[in-house]
Amino acid sequence: MGATNFSNPDFLERVKKGDRAALPLLVEAVLPQLLRAGRGMGFSQEESEDLAHSVFAAFLEKPEQFQGRSHIRTYLFGIFYNLVAERYREKSKALEHDPIDEVMESKFDAHGSWRQPPADIEGQLHAKEIGQIIQECLKGLSQPQRVAFYLREHEEWETPEICKKLGITVTNLGVLLFRARNRLRECVEKKGLKKG
Amino acid sequence: MLNCSQVARSIASDEYRTGGLLYRMSIRLHLAMCRQCSRYFRQIRALGSVLREVGDEFPISQALAARDRLLARLSRKP
């Protein structure tokens, strides 16, 4: 286990030919990463497994399309992101109203200066339990916000890449990121102030 | 001159990353002079780096169960 070299030409040849015995090795190597990405973008465990299934099913339908020019992981993730983008488009036709906009507006006075400046949560952001707090706070984001935030911050995609993949404008991406980050920041601040 | 509200919006929406050089400079200038906005900027940036570091813990047992479910599904011919 774990010793399979996925760049090995023989292995790739078997995969390309649709050798089903090579499949468990491939699934074992890539599935956890696909599920982690799915969960990171706010899909449930079940939805993430569904997505992963569709990735491998699509791959097995036309294994010969994989030319071996990119890493097999990259290739499968390419299929994965296309599927995510499809689901994303079904789910979010328009930007819905989000109360975080009013929360942010209330933080500034008429001149645009801070009325309620950000609390000092720097210590918290470096604390050990911050991972847990963030996971908890991420649940408060809408799915489109999570997808946008994940692609930007975790995958570190650039703006044009995200907009193209999700089929949204730069302005809409800006709104999603603005809301995602402020929701998270607010949530971390609140949880921290409660503790402190 | 940009005010704090505009700077905060620009930071959180990534406008400052995609804007032109002069625009980015005016944001940097504001951040250099404004403690509250620079604190906000650091926090927004830290959220991203935390996300990259923590990831999602994925227990081995859960991964194996998911793998078995997937392989079973794939082996069922439609």
Side-chain angles (χ1 to χ4, degrees):
Chain A
M1 226 170 66
T4 313
N5 180 359
F6 290 103
S7 311
N8 181 320
D10 294 339
F11 180 78
L12 292 179
E13 209 42 52
R14 282 169 65 197
V15 171
K16 271 192 270 180
K17 282 187 188 139
D19 177 352
R20 295 227 160 205
L23 189 62
L25 295 169
L26 189 61
V27 168
E28 191 164 308
V30 185
L31 180 64
Q33 298 170 27
L34 288 174
L35 293 179
R36 218 173 284 140
R39 297 275 297 274
M41 286 189 277
F43 292 102
S44 69
Q45 174 71 18
E46 210 186 330
E47 287 176 311
S48 303
E49 287 191 27
D50 248 8
L51 275 167
H53 171 259
S54 305
V55 169
F56 285 103
F59 171 71
L60 288 175
E61 219 167 90
K62 289 173 183 161
E64 69 282 356
Q65 276 193 359
F66 173 63
Q67 299 290 320
R69 270 186 238 111
S70 58
H71 194 282
I72 182 87
R73 177 194 175 274
T74 313
Y75 182 77
L76 292 173
F77 262 86
I79 301 179
F80 175 73
Y81 285 127
N82 284 338
L83 291 168
V84 168
E86 249 171 54
R87 292 212 180 187
Y88 176 92
R89 278 189 213 114
E90 284 164 18
K91 281 193 179 183
S92 57
K93 291 276 178 265
L95 282 180
E96 283 163 20
H97 169 260
D98 189 328
I100 189 68
D101 291 347
E102 276 97 68
V103 172
M104 285 309 288
E105 259 170 52
S106 72
K107 286 182 181 287
F108 300 95
D109 63 19
H111 307 288
S113 298
W114 290 99
R115 186 185 291 157
Q116 272 178 273
D120 184 5
I121 55 168
E122 249 88 324
Q124 252 166 277
L125 286 170
H126 296 106
K128 251 200 269 166
E129 61 270 28
I130 182 65
Q132 233 180 334
I133 296 179
I134 297 255
Q135 294 294 352
E136 209 42 57
C137 290
L138 278 169
K139 292 180 188 153
L141 271 58
S142 73
Q143 174 110 48
Q145 288 167 10
R146 284 193 70 163
V147 172
F149 187 64
Y150 183 89
L151 293 178
R152 179 72 204 95
E153 297 287 16
H154 194 276
E155 296 300 295
E156 298 183 71
W157 286 14
E158 290 300 334
T159 303
E161 225 179 333
I162 303 175
C163 289
K164 197 176 153 203
K165 186 56 91 183
L166 300 180
I168 58 177
T169 61
V170 174
T171 311
N172 279 8
L173 176 62
V175 172
L176 288 174
L177 290 174
F178 176 82
R179 290 172 172 176
R181 287 171 170 147
N182 283 306
R183 271 185 171 274
L184 270 184
R185 211 204 63 82
E186 282 294 303
C187 176
V188 172
E189 187 174 293
K190 271 206 194 99
K191 282 187 192 286
L193 291 180
K194 239 185 252 163
K195 260 196 318 183
Chain B
M1 193 63 186
L2 293 166
N3 64 36
C4 298
S5 167
Q6 292 166 324
V7 169
R9 174 158 289 278
S10 172
I11 289 167
S13 68
D14 266 5
E15 244 172 77
Y16 90 101
R17 296 180 75 251
T18 48
L21 183 64
L22 267 178
Y23 177 70
R24 286 205 307 276
M25 274 172 62
S26 64
I27 300 274
R28 301 296 319 187
L29 189 66
H30 182 108
L31 289 177
M33 296 187 306
C34 175
R35 281 183 55 190
Q36 295 166 330
C37 283
S38 77
R39 170 179 281 175
Y40 178 82
F41 177 68
R42 280 198 308 276
Q43 293 177 355
I44 292 294
R45 254 204 332 205
L47 288 174
S49 54
V50 169
L51 186 79
R52 280 190 291 278
E53 281 160 26
V54 293
D56 188 7
E57 288 295 318
F58 209 73
I60 272 284
S61 59
Q62 211 183 331
L64 291 178
R67 179 202 63 182
D68 293 343
R69 277 195 294 276
L70 181 74
L71 287 172
R73 248 173 108 178
L74 286 172
S75 67
R76 282 200 296 271
K77 283 273 171 189

